[in-house]
Amino acid sequence: MAESKRVIVIGGGIIGLASAHFLAEAGQKVTVIDRGQIGAACSFANCGLISPSHVFPLPGPGAVRHGIAAMLKKNGPLRIKPGLNVRLWWWLTQFGLHCNLRDRMSGGHGRHALLSYSREFYVNFIPERKIDCDFEANGCLMVHGSQKTLDEFDEINAVLDKEFDMGAQKLVGNELVAKEPAIKPNTAAGAWYYPQDAHLRPNMLVAGWKKLLVDAGVEFIESTSVTGFEMNGKSKAGGIRVYKSPDAKVERPKKFSGQTDLLEADSFVVATGSWTPFLNRELGCNIPIQPGKGYSLTMQRPSVCPEFPMIFENEKVAITPMASGYRIGSTMEFVGYNNTLQSQRLGLLREGASKYLQEPLGKAVELEWFGWRPMTPNGLPRIDRSPRFKNVVVAAGHNMIGVMTAPATGLLVSELITGKEPTLDPRPYAIRRAS
Ligand SMILES: Cc1cc2nc3c(=O)[nH]c(=O)nc-3n(C[C@H](O)[C@H](O)[C@H](O)COP(=O)(O)OP(=O)(O)OC[C@H]3O[C@@H](n4cnc5c(N)ncnc54)[C@H](O)[C@@H]3O)c2cc1C
């Protein structure tokens, strides 16, 4: 076990929590700081899918064509409105440069390593530590409304099978309804069934995990924003500048010129999700993250509730049946740090579900929600030391797979901090100068 030192984790989302877990297991004294409440940002009401099959990143052959079509379309699942946002234009250009087969495959290998480790971790950890989070490992259905897209997937499935051992079972027409009777007959062309996938209720995972961490001696500080680092010598950070942020509900950090306190530690982890670029200058690098806004609706379980979680591929709408509720989620907007809850986008979720499901909506709506996915142009997170400080590790940019890759990320973070030989090859997640 490494010598016990003090580590401050900045950001109490799922990535910060998983980092705290592995650091505490490695014998470190850990404090987690959040500008708002622990687990209340993007890790709160996302779809909770744990899908090792989500190997391929968003950029890939054909993605630019789809992106341009989306910019021209008024009410599609993907909405891009860059306006005068120079950073977003730059990010879109970088994304475009990654839209080729070579980057898709290398991105796939980087994601696969995180996904596979994390899936195995959850399957053991959640029942062993008795975390009550509606965890179920019964697979996931990718439902296609059109025969064309269902069949186009044959080729992708062959690659998933050969390269990643993640092949799925094709269900055509009635075979799908026989497997999942919650689907209306004659509405879908079929589906691909991924038996290795699982799902859970993310806010319950965060709450349960936090409780275990408190019991293990991890300290949590809420409503406290980090604005920057204090140097300790030439290449190390000695402390962070923080201020109490009673206005933490304001999603976009304002420039702060008031009184800050200094918190000292031996090492720091930056797990600030979509907000990470606000610390770029302090970190001495350009972490290329844009918020990819997604929505969800949480309801009571309908009486004809699906047994399997599913994604309607053509509409990009996900359904998560949970023991304690029922969620419809997804859609993607690139509109900067916009924090309005658009009822039109929630309407798209309802429409997508209504197209295929016997009983698409549960009785009472418990929560209408949006979150900012921390999107990177190549679909890979950055898990690496900051170029400016050798004792600051960044773990951010988990795109649409933060819950399903958190354990592997936390493990790598703890190994980078304690100087242990990394279990996973860290190179795919390196911070580069450009993107
Ligand atoms: C609709 C939707 C569906 C999704 N479905 C899935 C899914 O099925 N499976 C999956 O794996 N992923 C899914 N995701 C993606 C997933 O939610 C994210 O990848 C993940 O939550 C990112 O976790 P994080 O810890 O990096 O960020 P967050 O959860 O956003 O946490 C970052 C934290 O940092 C804090 N912070 C920021 N700046 C500062 C600062 N300066 N000082 C102090 N604290 C700070 C914030 O307050 C926040 O609490 C979905 C996302 C959306 C929107």
Side-chain angles (χ1 to χ4, degrees), residues 5 16 24 108 117 166 194 197 199 208 224-225 264 272 281 317 319 324 337 353 363 365 371 416 419:
K5 296 205 164 162
Y117 176 90
M166 282 292 150
Y194 290 89
D197 287 10
H199 62 284
T224 301
S225 280
E264 291 175 324
T272 44
R281 194 164 354 143
V317 167
I319 304 291
S324 61
Y337 291 86
K363 271 199 192 80
V365 173
L416 286 169

Short mmCIF file of all heavy atoms in Angstrom, two decimals, residues 5 16 24 108 117 166 194 197 199 208 224-225 264 272 281 317 319 324 337 353 363 365 371 416 419:
data_model
loop_
_atom_site.label_atom_id
_atom_site.label_comp_id
_atom_site.label_asym_id
_atom_site.label_seq_id
_atom_site.Cartn_x
_atom_site.Cartn_y
_atom_site.Cartn_z
N LYS A 5 -1.25 9.80 2.04
CA LYS A 5 -1.13 11.25 1.83
C LYS A 5 -2.51 11.84 1.63
O LYS A 5 -3.46 11.12 1.38
CB LYS A 5 -0.26 11.49 0.60
CG LYS A 5 1.16 10.99 0.77
CD LYS A 5 2.10 11.71 -0.11
CE LYS A 5 3.52 11.48 0.38
NZ LYS A 5 4.51 11.77 -0.61
N GLY A 16 -15.70 11.55 -9.75
CA GLY A 16 -15.04 11.94 -8.50
C GLY A 16 -15.21 10.87 -7.44
O GLY A 16 -14.27 10.54 -6.70
N ALA A 24 -9.03 5.86 -1.61
CA ALA A 24 -9.20 5.44 -0.21
C ALA A 24 -8.73 3.99 -0.04
O ALA A 24 -8.08 3.65 0.95
CB ALA A 24 -10.66 5.60 0.22
N GLY A 108 -12.44 3.10 -30.15
CA GLY A 108 -13.16 1.90 -29.69
C GLY A 108 -12.32 1.08 -28.73
O GLY A 108 -12.80 0.63 -27.69
N TYR A 117 -13.62 -3.40 -17.92
CA TYR A 117 -13.19 -3.45 -16.52
C TYR A 117 -14.36 -3.00 -15.61
O TYR A 117 -14.66 -3.63 -14.59
CB TYR A 117 -11.97 -2.54 -16.28
CG TYR A 117 -11.58 -2.51 -14.83
CD1 TYR A 117 -10.68 -3.42 -14.31
CD2 TYR A 117 -12.19 -1.60 -13.94
CE1 TYR A 117 -10.36 -3.43 -12.95
CE2 TYR A 117 -11.89 -1.61 -12.59
CZ TYR A 117 -10.97 -2.52 -12.10
OH TYR A 117 -10.69 -2.53 -10.76
N MET A 166 -18.07 -8.52 -28.52
CA MET A 166 -19.29 -7.86 -28.03
C MET A 166 -20.44 -8.07 -29.01
O MET A 166 -21.28 -7.18 -29.18
CB MET A 166 -19.04 -6.34 -27.90
CG MET A 166 -18.28 -5.94 -26.68
SD MET A 166 -19.25 -6.23 -25.22
CE MET A 166 -17.94 -6.56 -24.06
N TYR A 194 -28.12 -7.17 -26.66
CA TYR A 194 -26.78 -7.28 -26.06
C TYR A 194 -26.92 -7.91 -24.68
O TYR A 194 -27.27 -7.21 -23.71
CB TYR A 194 -26.14 -5.89 -25.94
CG TYR A 194 -25.76 -5.35 -27.29
CD1 TYR A 194 -26.67 -4.59 -28.02
CD2 TYR A 194 -24.53 -5.62 -27.86
CE1 TYR A 194 -26.35 -4.11 -29.27
CE2 TYR A 194 -24.20 -5.15 -29.11
CZ TYR A 194 -25.11 -4.40 -29.81
OH TYR A 194 -24.79 -3.95 -31.05
N ASP A 197 -25.11 -6.38 -21.29
CA ASP A 197 -25.40 -5.04 -20.75
C ASP A 197 -26.20 -5.11 -19.44
O ASP A 197 -26.87 -6.11 -19.16
CB ASP A 197 -26.18 -4.21 -21.78
CG ASP A 197 -25.29 -3.78 -22.95
OD1 ASP A 197 -24.15 -4.27 -23.05
OD2 ASP A 197 -25.74 -2.96 -23.75
N HIS A 199 -28.12 -2.28 -16.17
CA HIS A 199 -28.60 -0.92 -15.92
C HIS A 199 -28.84 -0.72 -14.43
O HIS A 199 -28.94 -1.69 -13.66
CB HIS A 199 -29.87 -0.61 -16.73
CG HIS A 199 -31.03 -1.48 -16.40
ND1 HIS A 199 -31.15 -2.79 -16.82
CD2 HIS A 199 -32.15 -1.25 -15.66
CE1 HIS A 199 -32.28 -3.30 -16.39
NE2 HIS A 199 -32.90 -2.40 -15.67
N GLY A 208 -25.54 5.56 -2.51
CA GLY A 208 -25.06 4.37 -1.81
C GLY A 208 -23.54 4.33 -1.73
O GLY A 208 -22.96 3.97 -0.70
N THR A 224 -18.88 24.44 -2.44
CA THR A 224 -17.54 25.04 -2.39
C THR A 224 -16.90 24.94 -3.77
O THR A 224 -16.66 23.85 -4.27
CB THR A 224 -16.68 24.31 -1.33
OG1 THR A 224 -17.35 24.44 -0.07
CG2 THR A 224 -15.30 24.89 -1.22
N SER A 225 -16.66 26.10 -4.38
CA SER A 225 -16.11 26.13 -5.75
C SER A 225 -14.61 26.27 -5.72
O SER A 225 -14.06 27.05 -4.94
CB SER A 225 -16.67 27.33 -6.50
OG SER A 225 -17.94 27.04 -6.97
N GLU A 264 -4.95 22.88 1.42
CA GLU A 264 -3.70 22.23 1.01
C GLU A 264 -3.82 20.71 0.97
O GLU A 264 -4.61 20.12 1.70
CB GLU A 264 -2.58 22.62 1.99
CG GLU A 264 -2.22 24.10 1.85
CD GLU A 264 -1.21 24.57 2.86
OE1 GLU A 264 -1.26 24.09 4.02
OE2 GLU A 264 -0.38 25.40 2.51
N THR A 272 -14.27 17.43 -12.84
CA THR A 272 -15.28 18.48 -12.88
C THR A 272 -16.18 18.39 -14.12
O THR A 272 -16.83 19.38 -14.48
CB THR A 272 -14.60 19.86 -12.80
OG1 THR A 272 -13.46 19.86 -13.67
CG2 THR A 272 -14.12 20.17 -11.40
N ARG A 281 -6.88 27.13 -18.09
CA ARG A 281 -5.72 27.99 -17.97
C ARG A 281 -4.90 27.61 -16.72
O ARG A 281 -3.69 27.52 -16.75
CB ARG A 281 -6.14 29.46 -17.89
CG ARG A 281 -4.93 30.32 -18.12
CD ARG A 281 -5.13 31.75 -18.46
NE ARG A 281 -6.46 32.21 -18.70
CZ ARG A 281 -6.87 33.41 -18.31
NH1 ARG A 281 -6.08 34.19 -17.65
NH2 ARG A 281 -8.09 33.83 -18.59
N VAL A 317 -33.78 7.54 -28.47
CA VAL A 317 -34.48 7.64 -27.18
C VAL A 317 -34.21 6.35 -26.40
O VAL A 317 -34.31 5.25 -26.96
CB VAL A 317 -36.00 7.83 -27.39
CG1 VAL A 317 -36.77 7.63 -26.10
CG2 VAL A 317 -36.27 9.22 -27.96
N ILE A 319 -34.92 3.86 -22.96
CA ILE A 319 -35.91 3.52 -21.93
C ILE A 319 -35.19 2.74 -20.84
O ILE A 319 -34.51 1.75 -21.14
CB ILE A 319 -37.01 2.60 -22.53
CG1 ILE A 319 -37.68 3.23 -23.75
CG2 ILE A 319 -38.03 2.18 -21.46
CD1 ILE A 319 -38.55 4.42 -23.47
N SER A 324 -37.62 0.81 -9.00
CA SER A 324 -38.28 1.89 -8.27
C SER A 324 -38.88 2.96 -9.20
O SER A 324 -39.33 4.00 -8.72
CB SER A 324 -37.28 2.57 -7.33
OG SER A 324 -36.21 3.11 -8.10
N TYR A 337 -23.34 26.39 -22.72
CA TYR A 337 -23.77 26.13 -21.35
C TYR A 337 -25.16 26.74 -21.12
O TYR A 337 -25.34 27.64 -20.30
CB TYR A 337 -22.76 26.69 -20.35
CG TYR A 337 -21.45 25.92 -20.36
CD1 TYR A 337 -20.45 26.23 -21.28
CD2 TYR A 337 -21.23 24.87 -19.47
CE1 TYR A 337 -19.26 25.52 -21.30
CE2 TYR A 337 -20.04 24.16 -19.49
CZ TYR A 337 -19.06 24.49 -20.41
OH TYR A 337 -17.88 23.78 -20.44
N ALA A 353 -40.99 7.24 -27.38
CA ALA A 353 -41.50 6.09 -26.62
C ALA A 353 -42.87 5.67 -27.13
O ALA A 353 -43.19 4.48 -27.22
CB ALA A 353 -41.57 6.45 -25.13
N LYS A 363 -47.51 6.73 -14.78
CA LYS A 363 -48.56 7.65 -14.30
C LYS A 363 -48.02 9.04 -13.98
O LYS A 363 -48.09 9.93 -14.80
CB LYS A 363 -49.27 7.03 -13.11
CG LYS A 363 -50.45 6.20 -13.57
CD LYS A 363 -51.45 5.94 -12.46
CE LYS A 363 -52.43 4.88 -12.92
NZ LYS A 363 -51.86 3.51 -12.80
N VAL A 365 -45.35 12.04 -13.43
CA VAL A 365 -43.98 12.43 -13.76
C VAL A 365 -43.31 12.89 -12.46
O VAL A 365 -43.76 13.82 -11.80
CB VAL A 365 -43.96 13.56 -14.80
CG1 VAL A 365 -42.53 14.08 -15.01
CG2 VAL A 365 -44.52 13.05 -16.13
N GLY A 371 -29.07 17.26 -18.25
CA GLY A 371 -27.68 17.20 -17.78
C GLY A 371 -26.74 17.54 -18.92
O GLY A 371 -27.09 17.38 -20.10
N LEU A 416 -2.25 6.62 -10.96
CA LEU A 416 -1.42 7.78 -11.37
C LEU A 416 -0.98 8.59 -10.15
O LEU A 416 0.13 9.08 -10.07
CB LEU A 416 -2.22 8.68 -12.33
CG LEU A 416 -2.40 8.14 -13.76
CD1 LEU A 416 -3.42 8.98 -14.53
CD2 LEU A 416 -1.08 8.12 -14.51
N GLY A 419 1.50 6.38 -8.01
CA GLY A 419 2.70 5.96 -8.74
C GLY A 419 2.78 4.47 -8.98
O GLY A 419 3.84 3.92 -9.26
#
